[in-house]
Amino acid sequence: TYGHLKPGPNPDLSTFRAYGVLPTIPGVYIGSLSNPSSAQWEDVLSDQHHYLGVPHSAAAIRELRSYQGVDKPVFLSEYGFGSAIDLVRLARFYEQLGAEQAEDARLFRGYLDQFMQDWDRWKMVDTFGSPEEYFRSCVAAMAAGRKLGLNALRSNPHIVGYNMTALLDHGFTGEGVQTAFRELKPGTIDAVFDGLAPLRWCLFAEPVTVYEKSPVRLEAVLVNEDVLLPGSYPVHLQVTGPDNVQPFDRHITLTIPQANGPEEVPFALPAFSEEITIDGPPGQYRFLATLEKGGAAGGGETEFYVFDTGSMPPVEPEVTLWGKDAELTDWLQKNGIRVRPFQPDDMTKRELVLASVQPAAGDAEAFMDLVRRIARGSAVVFLSEKVFVKQGDPTGYLPLEHKGSLVGLGGGAVYPKNEWARRHPIFSGLPCGGLMDHVLYREVIPEMALSGQDDPAEVVAGAINTSQKYGSGLLISVYELGTGRFILNTLKIRENLGKDPVAERLLRNMLNYAGRDLTQPPTELPADFETRMKALNF
């Protein structure tokens, strides 16, 4: 409710339904609160809704930290971070009540049936053990997202009020901190309690994944809702890493200023901002802040990861680059990976082919030639789904009979998808065998997934959204064709090479996995190959 419009006749706002977007109408404003002793709604705050994608990127976190109204302090009346709906537990509740035939029960049962089809054909039991365990992991993941978002917006001095989205799951979605049956979601209340503490440290480390001896900017902001009196307070800042190494240790003094006349001291006070270089072993690092005297602050911890270039696995086979990508060629050469341009001549040996965003010249004929090479024993890594676009069809050149579709599964922070990766050589040296960590994999997790294609020989990573309706797709999959194989990928690896060590590790793993066993001579094409080629409809 935004109060009422004044001073003239109320205009028709029915067309302005976008979240947080209301029209600017000369002579008309919207009151959003009534102060003590006032008898009318007052236009003193910028009343906003704000939702961002998941995982929250560095740009999204900066936006939350700096978001402001045009000429008024911000009342953020909608922002939150949802979770998956536990479809299994929800079905059990309806059964417990004898309400399986209720309209909402049948709706959720349909979503659960879709999930179980994916569960079986993707053999997700190898990764999660049971559907119940999968959903427990997805719901529990909400707590970290809540804390991350609250950490960012509490550090914003322009935000003076916040209304959390949402108290409970409603509208058949998973946006609440309670389920539709009023169960608290594991860890979420603890995260909200910490995130809304009236005295709290909000810490930031960017980037969240770095190579060793690369700079990381550390920032500390103290939220003080009139808890600490004006004065000076000793602060201890630390970075701890594997085996409790401490590459950074600093004592500073934070001053809480006196109010300047009628102007109040901001709720958020910047305490520290400095770029440091981490010289330590690879692994997870934590940036910590504590008040050494005078106050018991909440928060005070954030994490980032350091990677060692020396531990990156070498790529032994030579790589053939299919299509033009001078920047990728340069990166491969500078990183010790042998690469040569694709030559459309007779195939004399099995090749390890890397296809980037731009396909080789020749459109359909170029793809048909590539498919012939796969069928005779070559291996192809398709680094980006963008290479398959055919006259506006995102999957037109997929080398599959059933091409399915490219789908966007994310519903933003309120209706997030859950990404998962099974234990597989493509994730060697990286956490896998469960949900993908939104800190470690932040830069490479995509919005898009491949859905409805032929079943692959190997499912490596996928994503499912049960927070709003039901959607699912694969992020990495391995297909076999003739005596060869190819890897499909939608992770944002190409975009982050040279910037994110996770992207580099994934590419090296893909090349090594695809490029194994290429020493045998090429085979002849299968007898039914031309028939199968026609079915690809290039």
Side-chain angles (χ1 to χ4, degrees):
T1 301
Y2 290 90
H4 68 271
L5 298 171
K6 53 186 299 187
N10 290 354
D12 179 13
L13 300 183
S14 61
T15 58
F16 298 94
R17 297 298 188 188
Y19 288 145
V21 178
L22 289 168
T24 300
I25 303 173
V28 175
Y29 64 88
I30 296 177
S32 58
L33 60 81
S34 181
N35 276 304
S37 302
S38 173
Q40 62 182 346
W41 291 105
E42 299 171 66
D43 179 33
V44 294
L45 293 178
S46 177
D47 190 336
Q48 300 289 328
H49 302 179
H50 206 50
Y51 296 115
L52 299 163
V54 174
H56 281 353
S57 64
I61 293 170
R62 285 195 301 271
E63 188 173 340
L64 282 176
R65 294 183 60 192
S66 59
Y67 189 64
Q68 58 184 300
V70 176
D71 57 358
K72 300 179 181 71
V74 173
F75 169 40
L76 190 60
S77 60
E78 284 196 30
Y79 167 81
F81 203 107
S83 77
I85 293 176
D86 186 338
L87 298 175
V88 175
R89 188 164 181 80
L90 210 57
R92 299 295 91 83
F93 267 114
Y94 284 113
E95 293 164 4
Q96 182 175 299
L97 295 172
E100 299 99 313
Q101 296 308 310
E103 185 176 359
D104 47 350
R106 287 186 283 114
L107 176 72
F108 287 122
R109 181 71 232 188
Y111 296 158
L112 179 56
D113 290 343
Q114 293 180 68
F115 170 79
M116 291 309 302
Q117 291 176 10
D118 288 337
W119 175 271
D120 291 337
R121 67 194 182 97
W122 291 341
K123 299 179 175 61
M124 293 176 65
V125 66
D126 297 343
T127 304
F128 294 98
S130 69
E132 291 83 356
E133 184 58 30
Y134 167 79
F135 282 114
R136 276 194 289 267
S137 299
C138 292
V139 174
M142 180 197 213
R146 288 274 176 185
K147 186 177 288 190
L148 174 67
L150 288 171
N151 191 61
L153 70 88
R154 291 295 305 287
S155 71
N156 186 339
H158 306 291
I159 296 177
V160 297
Y162 170 52
N163 179 65
M164 182 180 70
T165 305
L167 177 62
L168 71 147
D169 292 349
H170 65 94
F172 314 115
T173 70
E175 66 181 59
V177 297
Q178 301 177 70
T179 71
F181 284 90
R182 296 350 185 232
E183 289 189 305
L184 297 178
K185 296 181 181 179
T188 298
I189 297 302
D190 292 333
V192 172
F193 176 81
D194 175 75
L196 296 180
L199 182 65
R200 186 182 194 277
W201 284 108
C202 299
L203 303 187
F204 305 91
E206 289 291 346
V208 293
T209 51
V210 295
Y211 293 99
E212 83 283 9
K213 298 182 180 179
S214 295
V216 177
R217 176 159 292 279
L218 304 178
E219 295 182 75
V221 177
L222 184 68
V223 172
N224 177 37
E225 296 182 3
D226 300 332
V227 175
L228 296 184
L229 297 174
S232 296
Y233 296 85
V235 177
H236 188 199
L237 304 172
Q238 297 171 275
V239 171
T240 66
D243 301 322
N244 285 321
V245 298
Q246 294 190 355
F248 175 81
D249 192 294
R250 183 83 57 85
H251 294 269
I252 64 172
T253 299
L254 173 65
T255 299
I256 307 294
Q258 291 276 0
N260 184 15
E263 184 175 334
E264 297 188 56
V265 177
F267 284 149
L269 298 169
F272 178 80
S273 179
E274 188 174 310
E275 201 171 76
I276 69 167
T277 299
I278 302 296
D279 189 4
Q284 184 191 63
Y285 284 74
R286 297 184 303 149
F287 175 37
L288 309 172
T290 55
L291 281 169
E292 296 185 288
K293 185 179 180 181
E301 179 177 343
T302 194
E303 64 188 63
F304 62 97
Y305 291 84
V306 174
F307 285 77
D308 177 16
T309 54
S311 64
M312 290 288 178
V315 176
E316 298 298 339
E318 183 181 52
V319 174
T320 299
L321 186 63
W322 187 78
K324 292 183 179 180
D325 193 333
E327 188 178 77
L328 178 57
T329 299
D330 184 60
W331 185 89
L332 292 168
Q333 291 173 338
K334 287 182 177 178
N335 285 273
I337 300 173
R338 293 178 297 135
V339 59
R340 70 178 183 89
F342 176 78
Q343 298 295 332
D345 50 13
D346 290 335
M347 180 177 170
T348 59
K349 63 178 182 178
R350 301 190 186 199
E351 300 170 286
L352 172 58
V353 180
L354 179 59
S356 185
V357 177
Q358 183 69 36
D363 296 330
E365 185 55 45
F367 274 96
M368 287 190 285
D369 176 66
L370 187 60
V371 170
R372 290 188 184 95
R373 292 167 185 266
I374 298 171
R376 297 187 63 195
S378 288
V380 177
V381 174
F382 289 105
L383 198 52
S384 171
E385 76 283 358
K386 297 174 184 176
V387 76
F388 301 118
V389 178
K390 175 187 177 184
Q391 298 175 354
D393 180 359
T395 61
Y397 281 125
L398 262 179
L400 298 170
E401 180 177 352
H402 299 99
K403 300 180 185 297
S405 58
L406 185 67
V407 297
L409 295 178
V414 192
Y415 311 123
K417 67 185 185 304
N418 293 102
E419 306 84 8
W420 48 271
R422 70 186 312 152
R423 294 178 183 85
H424 192 278
I426 287 177
F427 281 88
S428 175
L430 296 168
C432 56
L435 297 183
M436 296 175 69
D437 175 34
H438 276 191
V439 177
L440 182 71
Y441 291 106
R442 185 185 77 181
E443 304 302 326
V444 300
I445 287 177
E447 178 75 13
M448 312 304 290
L450 289 166
S451 179
Q453 289 77 27
D454 299 321
D455 287 338
E458 299 174 61
V459 170
V460 182
I464 297 174
N465 191 331
T466 66
S467 185
Q468 187 183 41
K469 300 181 180 179
Y470 184 83
S472 65
L474 295 180
L475 308 180
I476 304 177
S477 52
V478 181
Y479 285 84
E480 295 176 352
L481 176 63
T483 55
R485 66 182 71 93
F486 60 93
I487 296 175
L488 301 181
N489 166 68
T490 69
L491 294 183
K492 296 188 290 185
I493 294 174
R494 174 63 190 87
E495 300 91 321
N496 288 288
L497 283 176
K499 297 179 288 185
D500 177 31
V502 174
E504 176 178 351
R505 181 69 193 233
L506 285 167
L507 176 57
R508 288 177 177 272
N509 288 345
M510 282 183 179
L511 293 173
N512 282 328
Y513 186 68
R516 70 194 192 284
D517 304 327
L518 295 179
T519 57
Q520 298 297 316
T523 59
E524 296 298 322
L525 289 172
D528 63 344
F529 180 75
E530 294 304 324
T531 302
R532 295 175 64 182
M533 283 289 286
K534 290 179 182 179
L536 298 181
N537 194 27
F538 284 164

